[in-house]
Amino acid sequence: MATQVSHSQQQLMRSSERRMFSASDDSAMMKQIQSTHSPDGRSIDVKPILQIIDNVLRRLTLNIDHHALNGGQGHMDAIDDMPSSAAMDGNSMLDALAYVIHKISCEISCKCSGGGDAHATTMVLLNTLSSYSWDAKVVLTLAAFAVNFGEFWLILQLCTTNSLAKSVALLKQLPDILEYSHTLKPHFDALHKLIKAMMEVTKCIVEFTELPSQYISSDVPPMSVAIAHIPTAAYWTIRSVVACAAQITSLVGMRHEFSTSTSEAWELSSLAHKVSSIHEHLQKILHLCHQHIDEKMQTEAYEGLKHTFEMPQLDNSKILLKIFSLSKEDPHSLLGPDKTKVHIDMLRRKHVLLLISDLDIIQDEIQILEALYKYDRGDVNYEIVWLPIVDRSAWNDGYQQRFSSLQLMMPWYTVSHPLIIEPAVVKYTREVWNFVKKPIVVTLDPQGKVTCPNALNMLWIWGNAAFPFTTEKEASLWKAESWTLELLVDGLEPNLPNWMRQEKVICLYGGEDIEWIASFTSATKDLAGVLGIGLEMVYVGKNNAKERVKRIIGSINERQLSHTWQDTNIWFFWKRLESMLFSKTGHSATNEADVIKQEVMTLLGYDGSEQGWAVFFSGTEMVRAKGDKTLNAIQSFEQWEAFARELGFVSAIRGHLERIVDEHHCTRLILPGISGGIAERVVCAECGRPMEMYFMYRCCVE
């Protein structure tokens, strides 16, 4: 189905049409031009001929400029020879067209010598070329002009060194032109501009004929608009050829009249402006045509990629070739871990993890993933390939430096350059794999089948224990999990096994109020001393507040308030919590009571508030609360001291906290935008009532 041209595009074409065509280009004249067109269906490849013409006219205009600037002295021939292949192709085509070019050449010479009307002469040429396509008409006319102009200038150049050329130049009275070439500079400048405009329009007309018909139809816009205006563009190009030829003819034999003959230069300048306007208009339509074709091609490529993923494959080679826009002839655009080009077969029949991100992927993520990738994996065998998604239109040196820097950090396979990733692949990552902004990891099995659209959550929660990173594996791992300190902390705290063996009370706390932190840690330590229990406290920071947390950690360490973690560990702690929530959301039944999911949302909700918070673990017992509530409970220890000595610290403080009823509370749950699902129903950690859903956009959280 043909793509519709937008209203803005239609306005663009109409406004430029008004500038392109004057009142003289009325319907009667258009009918007259169209009446000369009776193509016989022959196909002519005019491209090689146009290359020869371009070579001739560029040499001529540069030589003319050189003579005008140097008062007719010196010689210039600095343009490189055209490729031999183009010359050979043009020569074979010209064998069949030599007669018609000669005929047009004679018509131009004859009509211009007689000082005939330019429009009438143009119509004669169009009638002579009636059986040819519009692009062939223009190219053949330009070829005839190039022959005449070339012969004229060759005689002019050689007359000082070649006796035959000198004799011919004398008969044509050409030496005067060289003598007064500095006076004729306005004429030559105008001639140069018009020739340049003629060539631009001709190339544009030829380019329209080369557009792939399978992607753009001639009977709908924008191609139909182009077809409607090409006859007018051809007419004015051929008429400009006539004007140029007349200008050259008028120079012959003028002798001392050069300084007073300015009307011809004005006519050429006027025509150059008109033809340039025509070129500008055609370029706009051509741009729309290319947009249309690109859309069609990308749609075709996208559907082809979808079909390939849907079809069973013997191995992953075909899938990987399409994803990384490689060909079987040159499958070497991937870089290995050592940053040298590798063959795609290096990944054949392996489990492949596609790390998909933009250039804002952070160093923490790379470091954690690197630790998993380099860890002694035993039978866990997979490879990671980075698939960077970038905006092609905005690519610059800054992005290139960022890409190169990230590429050096990554110890796995990467693409040689982000721009080799085709738009169809980018579209697939967004529409099928739901990549938006946050990195995702798509897993492919050895046959190229997608086994999980985002295994990053699994990697963050269980690491390589989640191999082969399938949705089925994810579900089975959750069935074996319960809400424990080990799940929450994982390997982030190296002292945790010893603390648990010593049956210590372990407190994790967060927030960014250093005064509350100081009061809370001091009061809790004092209470532990009174009860004679072992206590370890660990500050786990706050999500997405790295700089503020750094300052708080510095203060905690200086005052020896508690244990702290490094930046990467703090980032990973919160990232794992988010991953748990997103993973659980994808695997939990809507109405299922899920303790892990609820506890994770509670901690994330605490972090979203402006207050501190704390969670205490002792064996299998756990209690958590907001900072002010926890501190008040610790400071009113005398109210529940007896229970603490009888039941233990965690049971006693939990019972005390449960008896406290808040008259007012406000809980926030702030989640990053991700590709995974978001729970539609979330209950408040304080009162159990359903929370309202809002969208929050955050920036500059530091």
Side-chain angles (χ1 to χ4, degrees):
M1 184 176 177
T3 302
Q4 297 296 314
V5 177
S6 69
H7 179 66
S8 60
Q9 290 175 335
Q10 290 175 344
Q11 286 185 321
L12 174 66
M13 290 190 286
R14 287 170 186 163
S15 63
S16 55
E17 282 173 26
R18 288 193 290 270
R19 293 193 301 271
M20 171 182 170
F21 304 113
S22 66
S24 63
D25 297 327
D26 55 24
S27 58
M29 191 174 90
M30 290 302 100
K31 288 179 181 178
Q32 187 182 12
I33 294 170
Q34 289 283 8
S35 68
T36 67
H37 188 56
S38 181
D40 57 12
R42 80 183 81 181
S43 178
I44 300 175
D45 182 12
V46 298
K47 199 79 174 282
I49 304 174
L50 190 58
Q51 285 184 282
I52 297 172
I53 296 169
D54 190 36
N55 192 51
V56 170
L57 295 180
R58 279 191 301 141
R59 287 176 180 271
L60 287 172
T61 51
L62 282 174
N63 275 280
I64 289 171
D65 290 345
H66 180 75
H67 274 277
L69 289 171
N70 292 279
Q73 303 299 315
H75 175 75
M76 179 183 179
D77 197 16
I79 303 295
D80 294 335
D81 288 334
M82 66 185 301
S84 57
S85 59
M88 290 176 64
D89 292 342
N91 186 55
S92 60
M93 186 62 67
L94 287 168
D95 284 342
L97 298 172
Y99 172 74
V100 70
I101 291 175
H102 177 70
K103 187 176 181 180
I104 297 298
S105 177
C106 293
E107 289 278 9
I108 292 173
S109 297
C110 179
K111 298 296 182 182
C112 292
S113 298
D117 175 71
H119 171 69
T121 302
T122 303
M123 296 308 297
V124 168
L125 296 178
L126 286 173
N127 278 299
T128 303
L129 295 165
S130 62
S131 61
Y132 293 91
S133 59
W134 288 109
D135 61 313
K137 295 180 201 289
V138 179
V139 171
L140 292 173
T141 304
L142 273 176
F145 171 70
V147 170
N148 289 354
F149 195 15
E151 290 176 348
F152 168 80
W153 196 259
L154 277 174
I155 294 170
L156 195 65
Q157 276 195 317
L158 296 174
C159 65
T160 57
T161 58
N162 184 284
S163 58
L164 176 59
K166 183 177 181 180
S167 299
V168 174
L170 285 170
L171 291 174
K172 287 179 172 287
Q173 298 184 336
L174 297 184
D176 288 323
I177 295 176
L178 288 179
E179 183 180 347
Y180 291 93
S181 60
H182 60 288
T183 307
L184 290 170
K185 190 176 185 304
H187 296 260
F188 291 151
D189 287 344
L191 193 65
H192 188 175
K193 289 178 182 177
L194 183 53
I195 289 173
K196 182 176 181 290
M198 286 157 43
M199 284 300 300
E200 286 175 341
V201 170
T202 303
K203 289 176 181 178
C204 201
I205 293 173
V206 171
E207 195 170 345
F208 276 112
T209 67
E210 296 176 331
L211 296 178
S213 58
Q214 69 268 34
Y215 296 117
I216 190 164
S217 175
S218 61
D219 56 357
V220 294
M223 192 62 183
S224 60
V225 178
I227 291 172
H229 295 317
I230 283 176
T232 304
Y235 168 83
W236 283 106
T237 304
I238 294 173
R239 181 159 171 171
S240 297
V241 168
V242 172
C244 289
Q247 172 70 27
I248 295 165
T249 301
S250 70
L251 293 176
V252 178
M254 288 180 67
R255 301 186 68 81
H256 301 297
E257 301 173 17
F258 303 125
S259 59
T260 59
S261 178
T262 57
S263 61
E264 292 90 345
W266 180 87
E267 180 188 357
L268 295 186
S269 296
S270 178
L271 273 173
H273 177 74
K274 184 176 187 67
V275 175
S276 294
S277 296
I278 291 173
H279 173 252
E280 180 184 350
H281 174 69
L282 291 181
Q283 278 292 102
K284 289 176 181 177
I285 301 177
L286 187 60
H287 176 69
L288 294 177
C289 287
H290 281 301
Q291 279 187 331
H292 179 96
I293 291 167
D294 285 344
E295 289 171 7
K296 289 286 188 179
M297 292 179 70
Q298 291 307 322
T299 299
E300 183 182 270
Y302 176 73
E303 293 301 325
L305 185 62
K306 283 180 66 177
H307 178 73
T308 304
F309 271 107
E310 291 165 0
M311 295 296 292
Q313 304 290 331
L314 292 175
D315 58 45
N316 57 7
S317 299
K318 189 174 182 180
I319 294 288
L320 294 174
L321 285 171
K322 281 187 173 288
I323 291 174
F324 297 104
S325 309
L326 308 178
S327 65
K328 291 182 179 179
E329 294 73 26
D330 183 27
H332 293 88
S333 291
L334 288 181
L335 301 185
D338 62 353
K339 309 311 172 195
T340 59
K341 282 194 174 184
V342 296
H343 196 283
I344 196 69
D345 279 350
M346 296 293 291
L347 300 173
R348 187 167 175 262
R349 293 187 177 175
K350 290 185 177 181
H351 289 271
V352 174
L353 276 57
L354 299 176
L355 172 60
I356 303 173
S357 77
D358 57 19
L359 300 184
D360 291 329
I361 183 172
I362 63 175
Q363 189 172 351
D364 291 325
E365 287 179 295
I366 296 173
Q367 287 178 347
I368 298 295
L369 198 55
E370 179 181 5
L372 295 173
Y373 182 70
K374 290 184 173 181
Y375 185 73
D376 183 11
R377 294 181 279 169
D379 295 333
V380 177
N381 185 20
Y382 63 82
E383 294 295 344
I384 300 176
V385 188
W386 183 35
L387 185 67
I389 304 299
V390 300
D391 181 357
R392 287 169 171 258
S393 62
W395 189 258
N396 55 35
D397 290 342
Y399 289 135
Q400 178 63 52
Q401 292 174 6
R402 175 65 177 162
F403 167 73
S404 299
S405 175
L406 289 171
Q407 191 179 49
L408 288 174
M409 292 182 197
M410 297 181 178
W412 43 75
Y413 292 84
T414 63
V415 294
S416 58
H417 198 282
L419 298 187
I420 72 167
I421 308 300
E422 292 293 339
V425 177
V426 175
K427 181 180 179 182
Y428 194 89
T429 65
R430 297 191 187 284
E431 296 192 1
V432 178
W433 293 336
N434 298 315
F435 169 72
V436 181
K437 175 69 177 175
K438 298 291 183 180
I440 63 173
V441 169
V442 177
T443 58
L444 306 179
D445 69 10
Q447 286 71 47
K449 180 183 177 181
V450 175
T451 57
C452 183
N454 187 10
L456 201 55
N457 293 328
M458 278 188 276
L459 282 161
W460 290 161
I461 300 167
W462 297 288
N464 292 326
F467 182 83
F469 311 112
T470 63
T471 51
E472 294 77 14
K473 181 71 173 181
E474 187 175 16
S476 68
L477 287 169
W478 275 128
K479 286 180 180 178
E481 288 289 1
S482 58
W483 183 244
T484 62
L485 181 59
E486 293 94 320
L487 175 64
L488 179 59
V489 176
D490 194 47
L492 296 175
E493 176 51 65
N495 297 309
L496 182 62
N498 289 332
W499 294 346
M500 295 184 71
R501 279 194 297 271
Q502 296 167 13
E503 298 183 347
K504 290 186 175 183
V505 173
I506 299 166
C507 173
L508 305 182
Y509 71 95
E512 53 181 330
D513 183 345
I514 190 62
E515 296 305 320
W516 173 85
I517 290 172
S519 299
F520 169 68
T521 53
S522 177
T524 306
K525 288 177 183 178
D526 290 344
L527 185 153
V530 171
L531 289 175
I533 60 174
L535 172 71
E536 298 292 347
M537 305 185 75
V538 181
Y539 176 67
V540 297
K542 185 176 178 63
N543 197 14
N544 297 321
K546 182 178 285 188
E547 294 305 317
R548 295 199 300 272
V549 168
K550 274 185 179 179
R551 293 193 292 270
I552 293 167
I553 288 174
S555 181
I556 291 173
N557 290 337
E558 183 181 351
R559 297 157 71 173
Q560 298 182 339
L561 300 178
S562 74
H563 297 281
T564 59
W565 285 343
Q566 294 180 345
D567 293 346
T568 302
N569 284 20
I570 289 177
W571 172 85
F572 192 44
F573 174 81
W574 293 106
K575 179 57 66 176
R576 285 185 76 251
L577 281 176
E578 290 174 357
S579 296
M580 288 180 198
L581 176 57
F582 298 139
S583 177
K584 271 291 184 179
T585 300
H587 285 276
S588 298
T590 305
N591 298 319
E592 181 184 353
D594 191 318
V595 174
I596 295 177
K597 182 177 176 181
Q598 187 59 47
E599 292 298 333
V600 167
M601 285 194 294
T602 298
L603 292 183
L604 290 171
Y606 287 165
D607 184 67
S609 70
E610 300 300 327
Q611 302 177 30
W613 59 270
V615 55
F616 292 95
F617 286 90
S618 178
T620 59
E621 291 188 292
M622 182 271 293
V623 63
R624 40 53 177 180
K626 285 185 178 180
D628 54 351
K629 192 173 182 180
T630 306
L631 181 57
N632 289 336
I634 296 292
Q635 291 174 339
S636 59
F637 171 60
E638 69 281 355
Q639 298 178 18
W640 50 276
E641 180 179 358
F643 292 103
R645 296 188 183 279
E646 177 184 352
L647 303 175
F649 170 78
V650 173
S651 294
I653 194 173
R654 181 173 61 243
H656 180 74
L657 290 169
E658 288 173 351
R659 289 191 293 272
I660 298 174
V661 179
D662 290 335
E663 294 182 1
H664 174 76
H665 67 272
C666 180
T667 301
R668 292 188 299 173
L669 178 61
I670 301 174
L671 299 175
I674 63 149
S675 58
I678 296 295
E680 294 185 7
R681 185 177 184 274
V682 177
V683 299
C684 176
E686 298 296 316
C687 64
R689 291 195 298 268
M691 299 173 70
E692 291 186 53
M693 181 184 289
Y694 290 88
F695 292 99
M696 176 178 284
Y697 298 89
R698 302 184 76 194
C699 183
C700 304
V701 293
E702 290 296 326

